[in-house]
Amino acid sequence: MCCQKVAEAEAMVSGGIQDVFISNEVVAPSKITRMVALAAQGARVSVVVDALQPLEQLAVTAQQWGTSIDVLVEINAGQDRCGVDTPGQAARLAEHISRLSSQLNGSVNFKGIQAYHGGLQHVRDPQQRAAAVQRVVAKAAAAVDAINKKAGLKCQLVTGGGSGTYRLEAASGVFNEVQPGSFAFGDADYARNLQLGGQQGEWQQSLWVLTQVMSVSAARACAVVDAGLKAVSLDSGPPVLLETPNVAAGLVAPPPGSNSSSSCSSSGPSSSSSGNACGQLPAVSFEGVEFQNGGDEHGKLLWPQAIPQLPPQLPSLGTKLLLQPGHCDPTANMYDSIVAEREGTVVAVWPVAGRGPGL
C-alpha cells in the first residue's frame, strides 16, 4: 500500500495493512525512527531515497532496532521534484545501499527504483499523455540498465504510474508495479482527462462533499453554500456541479438507482448522522452553474443569466447539495471522517486516520 508520509503508513499498519511503501523521501531522524518501528512490529516497510545522509541514518537505525527496510532509488522522472537526475547517480546510490546491507547485517535492502511523474496524470489528451509516459519509461529503463551494468544489481521492483497513466506504465515492459490511488474516489480534475475513445473520465465518482445553501440572491442569480476553502481544495480548480447524473465532470448526485456505494465528506453544519446523509436532489436546474470561491467558509454557486428578465429558479435556504471535489487527495485530508452511503442510507462512518500535514 503506497503512502506519502509516515503518519499514513502508521495508520495503514494500525488498520491491518502489513505491507506499506512510503513512496516519498523520509529525512527527519524522528520520522525515520517511527518508520523503522513499524518494521520492528512485523510490517514489511519500504521507502525511496535519493541521498546518502538519510539512507545511512535509516540503515543505522534499522540495525539498532534489529529489523530491515526495503529501499528503492527514486528517479527524477521529469517533474523535477525529488529523485536522482542521471542513471549513473542511480547506480552509485544502489551500490551504496547494497554496501550498507553487507556492513549492517541487512538493515537496508536494495529493491529497485521508483519513477513516478505526478504531473502526467492530468495531461488531457491521451496521445500526448502516452508520449510523455514513454519519456518516463526511457528514464526508468536507463536507470535499470545502469544499476545492472555498473552496480551489478537487479531491480526487483520498477514502480510508478498513477490513476491517469497506470495502464501505460503497466504495458511498458519496464514497470512491474503501478500506483493508482485517486481512482477510488475520483475528482473533477481527473474527470477532464480524455480517453482514447474521446470520452471524458474513466470511473464513477464516489467522493462528494456535502454542503448546504446558506444564502440566496435572485438579483445576483447566486446561492451561497457553507463550503469554502476549509471544505474543498481549490489547487486543481473548483468543485463543480453535474448538469446531468451521467456526466463525469460535475455534481449533483450519484446516478439515481445506482447500486454502488458512494461516500460523502460532510462540511461542518451540513453534517448528517443518520438517514440520507447526502440529501435529496432539489427540483432546480443546475445546468451551467459554476462554483466560485467565496472565502474560508463560503462558496458561491453562480447561475447563468442568459435571459435577465427571467430570474433562475434557485434552491431554497437549507438545501443540501453534493460537490465533486476538484482534487480528491487534499480534500479528503481536510476531514476527520467520511460518511459511507448506499442508496440513500448511511452504512458506515470511516475515520480519516493519518490526515494532516506531512508528519
Side-chain angles (χ1 to χ4, degrees), residues 305-326:
Q305 292 181 298
I307 309 176
Q309 67 270 25
L310 294 177
Q313 183 179 1
L314 299 174
S316 58
L317 292 177
T319 297
K320 293 180 180 180
L321 301 172
L322 298 177
L323 298 174
Q324 181 190 29

Side-chain angles (χ1 to χ4, degrees), residues 77-354:
Q79 197 168 5
D80 295 334
R81 297 193 301 194
C82 299
V84 299
D85 294 311
T86 69
Q89 291 173 337
R92 288 191 291 274
L93 191 53
E95 191 173 23
H96 198 72
I97 297 168
S98 180
R99 188 180 306 117
L100 286 171
S101 181
S102 299
Q103 295 172 349
L104 299 177
N105 300 318
S107 62
V108 289
N109 302 298
F110 174 71
K111 286 296 178 181
I113 66 168
Q114 171 175 273
Y116 175 81
H117 196 311
L120 301 188
Q121 309 310 310
H122 310 283
V123 174
R124 303 299 178 216
D125 182 85
Q127 294 180 334
Q128 293 178 4
R129 197 160 59 239
V133 169
Q134 280 305 307
R135 293 190 287 271
V136 174
V137 171
K139 288 177 179 289
V144 170
D145 185 62
I147 290 169
N148 182 272
K149 292 180 178 178
K150 296 182 179 181
L153 297 170
K154 180 181 179 180
C155 291
Q156 298 179 35
L157 279 178
V158 180
T159 182
S163 294
T165 67
Y166 70 97
R167 284 192 175 94
L168 299 168
E169 282 90 354
S172 68
V174 175
F175 286 81
N176 58 11
E177 180 182 272
V178 291
Q179 305 175 14
S182 296
F183 75 93
F185 281 160
D187 57 38
D189 190 83
Y190 268 113
R192 297 185 188 102
N193 280 1
L194 292 174
Q195 305 306 308
L196 285 174
Q199 71 275 22
Q200 281 188 316
E202 189 172 0
W203 309 283
Q204 181 179 326
Q205 181 72 22
S206 71
L207 183 72
W208 309 87
V209 172
L210 179 63
T211 189
Q212 192 168 32
V213 175
M214 57 193 297
S215 180
V216 176
S217 170
R220 287 181 273 120
C222 172
V224 179
V225 296
D226 61 359
L229 290 171
K230 295 179 181 178
V232 289
S233 171
L234 300 181
D235 65 292
S236 295
V240 292
L241 304 175
L242 277 178
E243 294 181 1
T244 57
N246 64 345
V247 176
L251 165 79
V252 163
S258 171
N259 292 323
S260 61
S261 299
S262 64
S263 49
C264 300
S265 297
S266 57
S267 60
S270 301
S271 61
S272 176
S273 58
S274 62
N276 187 351
C278 298
Q280 295 295 326
L281 182 65
V284 176
S285 172
F286 290 92
E287 183 176 357
V289 173
E290 294 183 1
F291 181 100
Q292 187 177 96
N293 175 33
D296 290 349
E297 296 87 14
H298 302 78
K300 296 188 288 185
L301 302 181
L302 305 179
W303 269 255
Q305 292 181 298
I307 309 176
Q309 67 270 25
L310 294 177
Q313 183 179 1
L314 299 174
S316 58
L317 292 177
T319 297
K320 293 180 180 180
L321 301 172
L322 298 177
L323 298 174
Q324 181 190 29
H327 192 179
C328 61
D329 311 41
T331 296
N333 193 53
M334 295 178 178
Y335 290 88
D336 292 324
S337 61
I338 293 176
V339 179
E341 171 265 337
R342 180 181 288 115
E343 296 182 345
T345 300
V346 173
V347 295
V349 177
W350 300 322
V352 183

Side-chain angles (χ1 to χ4, degrees), residues 21-37:
F21 171 39
I22 302 177
S23 54
N24 205 357
E25 279 68 17
V26 179
V27 298
S30 60
K31 296 180 183 180
I32 289 174
T33 298
R34 287 163 50 200
M35 179 173 60
V36 168

